[in-house]
Amino acid sequence: IFLGNHTNMADAELLQAKALLLQAGPSGLNLYDHLSEIIAKVLDERPQNAAETLENISQKVKATRFQHKGSNLQNVPEVSRDVTLATAQVKLFRAPQGEEEEQEGQHVLPNLMEIAQFFEDNNVGVGREETFRIFLALKQLSEAFPLKAVRFWGKIFGIESNYVIAEAEYKEGEEPRPPEGEGEAEEADNAAAGGAEENPDGVPKSQFKPPPALPIEEYGHGANKKIYFVCSEPGTEWRLLPDVTPAQISISRQIRKFLTGRLDAPVVSYPPFPGTEASFLRAQIARITAGTHVSPIGFYTFDEDGDEEEEARENFIVNEEYEEKPRSELLASDLSGWVHHAPHILPQGRCRWVNPNPPKEREGDEEEEEEEEEADAQAEPETGPPLLQPLQNDEDVDGQPAWTPKLSSSFVPGYSSVCIASNRWPGAFAFAIGKKFDNIYIGFGHKYSSDPYSPPLPPPAEAEYPVGPEITEATDPSREEEAAFEAAQAQAREEAEAADEGEEEED
């Protein structure tokens, strides 16, 4: 009996001890399992000094149980922006699938690396590595769209990201499709220009009539002669910019904005700009192209095969009989060796002038017809310099010449190129050597101005009601004026009574 009781007590104490060891702490770990894992690890590894390294073995066992649940202090991005960009640019370095695609791409693309070398000799460019990536991105663009020609126009810096710009032309029979939402925005602008709708509450309507919207120049003409694609980095998606409108060019001349790098960003300005940053960027590209795209004189000649004389003066072709110009002529201070080969943009925002008040079918009196004729006569046609106009006719910029010519190297002038820099659009350059030339722009898209920019003031507030004598407060008359007024009224009454008496006597 005594032995049985002793055995039961030992079993109870053993169970209590085991229960104590099985109690889990805040981390969910109990001493029983931990000691079991330590003993199993010692038996598996069989260290020489197990007693001395027991603490290290315990730490290793605990480390195997640790599970990383993420940091609560900061969200660490899984993939960085550099990795994402590198993944996109890997596609640029893939070899072409066939020889036909490679030959076609070489026909559409110019030798950008050679052109970049000439600009680099004049300390102009974006670097060889980026230039090569842009060259591959242009090749990718030429394979994705039916383009006849494509070239690197330049780079415009933004606050959040930059714009890499490609200038292109579609093949004959192909027309660019406007980006999604452009047609809706144009319809909204036309609806806004049509005036306010009738108000059923009886609120007076505004009598202001906005001027009629000028027609947009079609693709292949004027400011929309070519199309432009943009991307933030070589390898990312190319985005087609919408056609520019005359109103957008006119408003862009009155404001000064830094680009954000987001095409859908609103343009907050006064006067209000009709469009998003994509349209504002397109307007700046049109202005820079019209003012800075130049070529050596004689390189282009007019295409006389046009149906009309005016149309022939808008189209030019490469002169097959062009001879290399001497460097002294290209370096002349009067810049007579260079010409503009981009059409000039008139003050109304178009390259070819249109009458903003076209004659309409007139109905009504002759006076109304005369007033309409006078209004039509006030719209005088705007004129600008013709195509292939020499640079020596450009206006000075704040007392300085519009362009600054220089030689790439004075040590070996026989092998040097001539480069000219625009002082009106800082960041615009052009080079010429032999029968080769090109243009580029690298900057913020701002025109030079010696005066700090100041936004224009809003127009004066419109009068709430017409001012006339019937609502104008008059000055109180003096006593002498009242007496004179009463005497005049009394005299008038006496004359009226005398006239009535005379009529009665005659009757």
Side-chain angles (χ1 to χ4, degrees), residues 91-303:
K91 302 177 182 179
L92 300 177
F93 294 89
R94 293 177 180 174
Q97 298 179 357
E99 297 181 356
E100 296 181 357
E101 296 182 0
E102 185 177 359
Q103 293 177 0
E104 184 179 357
Q106 291 178 356
H107 179 71
V108 174
L109 291 173
N111 190 351
L112 182 59
M113 300 307 298
E114 181 184 12
I115 295 172
Q117 182 60 48
F118 289 123
F119 278 118
E120 187 177 351
D121 294 341
N122 295 278
N123 300 324
V124 178
V126 295
R128 295 186 181 182
E129 293 184 2
E130 185 174 358
T131 301
F132 185 69
R133 290 195 295 267
I134 293 174
F135 177 68
L136 297 179
L138 293 177
K139 181 177 180 296
Q140 186 183 54
L141 176 64
S142 64
E143 296 172 355
F145 296 89
L147 303 179
K148 179 176 66 175
V150 60
R151 60 178 292 270
F152 177 49
W153 184 89
K155 185 175 183 179
I156 294 183
F157 303 116
I159 299 175
E160 300 178 9
S161 61
N162 305 324
Y163 289 113
V164 178
I165 305 170
E167 182 183 76
E169 295 182 64
Y170 269 89
K171 294 180 180 178
E172 296 182 0
E174 300 285 347
E175 293 184 359
R177 297 179 180 178
E180 297 181 359
E182 180 187 356
E184 300 177 358
E186 185 177 351
E187 292 178 0
D189 294 341
N190 295 336
E197 298 179 356
E198 296 182 359
N199 194 337
D201 297 335
V203 179
K205 295 191 305 181
S206 174
Q207 300 298 325
F208 172 75
K209 294 182 179 180
L214 297 176
I216 303 175
E217 293 179 303
E218 299 179 355
Y219 165 68
H221 300 278
N224 294 319
K225 186 174 184 180
K226 297 183 180 181
I227 57 175
Y228 296 89
F229 295 86
V230 297
C231 65
S232 58
E233 291 287 347
T236 57
E237 181 185 3
W238 287 101
R239 301 285 299 276
L240 175 63
L241 294 180
D243 291 341
V244 67
T245 64
Q248 292 170 353
I249 293 180
S250 299
I251 299 300
S252 65
R253 288 169 168 168
Q254 305 176 42
I255 62 178
R256 191 179 182 91
K257 296 283 291 184
F258 280 100
L259 298 173
T260 62
R262 293 180 287 109
L263 294 177
D264 58 347
V267 181
V268 182
S269 64
Y270 183 83
F273 183 81
T276 59
E277 185 167 297
S279 300
F280 180 69
L281 174 62
R282 181 64 182 86
Q284 294 299 98
I285 292 175
R287 296 176 59 199
I288 296 172
T289 301
T292 63
H293 276 208
V294 297
S295 58
I297 188 171
F299 187 89
Y300 290 114
T301 183
F302 289 108
D303 185 8

Side-chain angles (χ1 to χ4, degrees), residues 345-367:
I345 300 178
L346 299 174
Q348 70 172 187
R350 288 173 51 95
C351 295
R352 179 185 292 184
W353 184 82
V354 294
N355 188 0
N357 300 316
K360 300 179 182 179
E361 297 181 359
R362 299 170 179 173
E363 297 179 359
D365 301 336
E366 296 181 358
E367 296 180 358

Side-chain angles (χ1 to χ4, degrees), residues 293-300 337-341 388 391 430 437 439:
H293 276 208
V294 297
S295 58
I297 188 171
F299 187 89
Y300 290 114
W338 299 82
V339 296
H340 289 277
H341 62 257
L388 306 184
L391 268 63
F437 84 95
N439 299 268

Side-chain angles (χ1 to χ4, degrees), residues 257-481:
K257 296 283 291 184
F258 280 100
L259 298 173
T260 62
R262 293 180 287 109
L263 294 177
D264 58 347
V267 181
V268 182
S269 64
Y270 183 83
F273 183 81
T276 59
E277 185 167 297
S279 300
F280 180 69
L281 174 62
R282 181 64 182 86
Q284 294 299 98
I285 292 175
R287 296 176 59 199
I288 296 172
T289 301
T292 63
H293 276 208
V294 297
S295 58
I297 188 171
F299 187 89
Y300 290 114
T301 183
F302 289 108
D303 185 8
E304 302 297 342
D305 296 337
D307 298 337
E308 300 179 0
E309 181 179 358
E310 185 176 359
E311 182 179 356
R313 287 295 174 179
E314 291 183 356
N315 300 324
F316 54 83
I317 57 176
V318 177
N319 186 9
E320 298 179 356
E321 300 178 357
Y322 172 75
E323 297 181 357
E324 178 182 352
K325 299 296 180 183
R327 290 173 176 80
S328 58
E329 183 177 352
L330 298 176
L331 286 170
S333 58
D334 59 353
L335 301 172
S336 58
W338 299 82
V339 296
H340 289 277
H341 62 257
H344 175 76
I345 300 178
L346 299 174
Q348 70 172 187
R350 288 173 51 95
C351 295
R352 179 185 292 184
W353 184 82
V354 294
N355 188 0
N357 300 316
K360 300 179 182 179
E361 297 181 359
R362 299 170 179 173
E363 297 179 359
D365 301 336
E366 296 181 358
E367 296 180 358
E368 295 180 357
E369 294 180 1
E370 293 177 359
E371 292 177 0
E372 292 180 358
E373 290 177 0
E374 292 178 0
D376 295 342
Q378 293 177 359
E380 298 181 359
E382 299 175 356
T383 58
L387 270 178
L388 306 184
Q389 180 81 0
L391 268 63
Q392 60 183 357
N393 297 326
D394 290 3
E395 297 180 359
D396 294 343
V397 179
D398 196 17
Q400 300 294 329
W403 297 84
T404 301
K406 70 171 184 177
L407 201 62
S408 62
S409 176
S410 58
F411 297 101
V412 281
Y415 297 94
S416 301
S417 61
V418 178
C419 179
I420 60 173
S422 174
N423 296 325
R424 179 169 283 105
W425 288 98
F429 301 90
F431 84 90
I433 180 172
K435 293 185 178 182
K436 300 177 181 179
F437 84 95
D438 206 343
N439 299 268
I440 195 173
Y441 177 83
I442 302 174
F444 288 92
H446 290 172
K447 191 176 182 179
Y448 172 80
S449 177
S450 58
D451 299 330
Y453 173 74
S454 179
L457 297 176
E462 186 178 1
E464 297 182 1
Y465 49 85
V467 179
E470 62 277 0
I471 61 174
T472 303
E473 184 177 0
T475 306
D476 294 339
S478 60
R479 182 56 189 151
E480 291 77 7
E481 294 175 348

